[in-house]
Amino acid sequence: MNKKICIISNLCLLLWFALDMVGVSIDGHILVTRSYVEDGVFFLLFLALFIWYIFKDKIGKYFLTGWLSIWFLAQFLSHWYFTIFGPSEGKINYFADTIKLTSSPNIYIPDLYHILLHILILVSLINMIIYCVTSSKLKTIQQHES
């Protein structure tokens, strides 16, 4: 895995997550509400770990990968858990005014913003895991050759 691919996927995630800091509506429909009070610390932590990874790859890649793992788990527990196991009434009501790919009166299905956020987190996480594994193998091979 190429570091540039990891940077691009994490940059896309960072930009998408930044929408959560400002809030975005399209033609009166809410894509995401402004949630910097609730999510600002998470945004700054992700930004710091991403910058650390860019400049201090050797250790930063592991911290960023760890953060993405925790973030993906937290998003699963905050959204998809309710879709799979319920109860979902509170979630359906909380996200009632957001843009959805599909809606259901009985089952909570994450809105468009969160579906794309989860996909971007997962893509970045997979890229980072592959990068950590391949860079470790490459380092081992280079040590054996010298």
Side-chain angles (χ1 to χ4, degrees):
M1 175 65 60
N2 187 321
K3 184 175 180 176
K4 288 181 184 179
I5 293 171
C6 292
I7 290 173
I8 291 168
S9 66
N10 278 285
L11 185 59
C12 290
L13 173 56
L14 181 71
L15 293 173
W16 187 256
F17 189 35
L19 298 177
D20 185 47
M21 299 300 105
V22 296
V24 175
S25 292
I26 302 169
D27 291 332
H29 297 87
I30 299 168
L31 177 64
V32 63
T33 58
R34 181 173 34 197
S35 302
Y36 64 86
V37 172
E38 296 87 357
D39 297 335
V41 171
F42 296 104
F43 179 81
L44 293 174
L45 183 59
F46 175 51
L47 177 62
L49 290 170
F50 180 51
I51 292 169
W52 190 15
Y53 162 67
I54 291 170
F55 293 106
K56 297 292 184 181
D57 173 275
K58 193 176 271 190
I59 187 103
K61 64 186 171 192
Y62 297 112
F63 280 95
L64 182 56
T65 302
W67 168 251
L68 291 169
S69 299
I70 292 166
W71 192 11
F72 186 74
L73 178 63
Q75 288 296 316
F76 176 83
L77 294 175
S78 296
H79 294 276
W80 295 104
Y81 179 87
F82 295 98
T83 301
I84 298 167
F85 301 109
S88 55
E89 294 83 21
K91 287 284 185 182
I92 291 171
N93 294 334
Y94 186 80
F95 292 103
D97 297 329
T98 58
I99 299 171
K100 296 174 183 43
L101 292 176
T102 185
S103 60
S104 168
N106 303 321
I107 298 171
Y108 167 69
I109 301 169
D111 56 27
L112 177 63
Y113 173 81
H114 284 96
I115 289 171
L116 291 175
L117 179 69
H118 302 157
I119 290 168
L120 290 169
I121 294 170
L122 188 59
V123 166
S124 292
L125 176 59
I126 290 168
N127 286 340
M128 290 303 299
I129 290 169
I130 293 169
Y131 181 74
C132 287
V133 170
T134 57
S135 64
S136 293
K137 286 182 180 179
L138 182 60
K139 183 180 175 184
T140 304
I141 290 169
Q142 289 172 344
Q143 287 175 346
H144 287 304
E145 289 178 352
S146 49

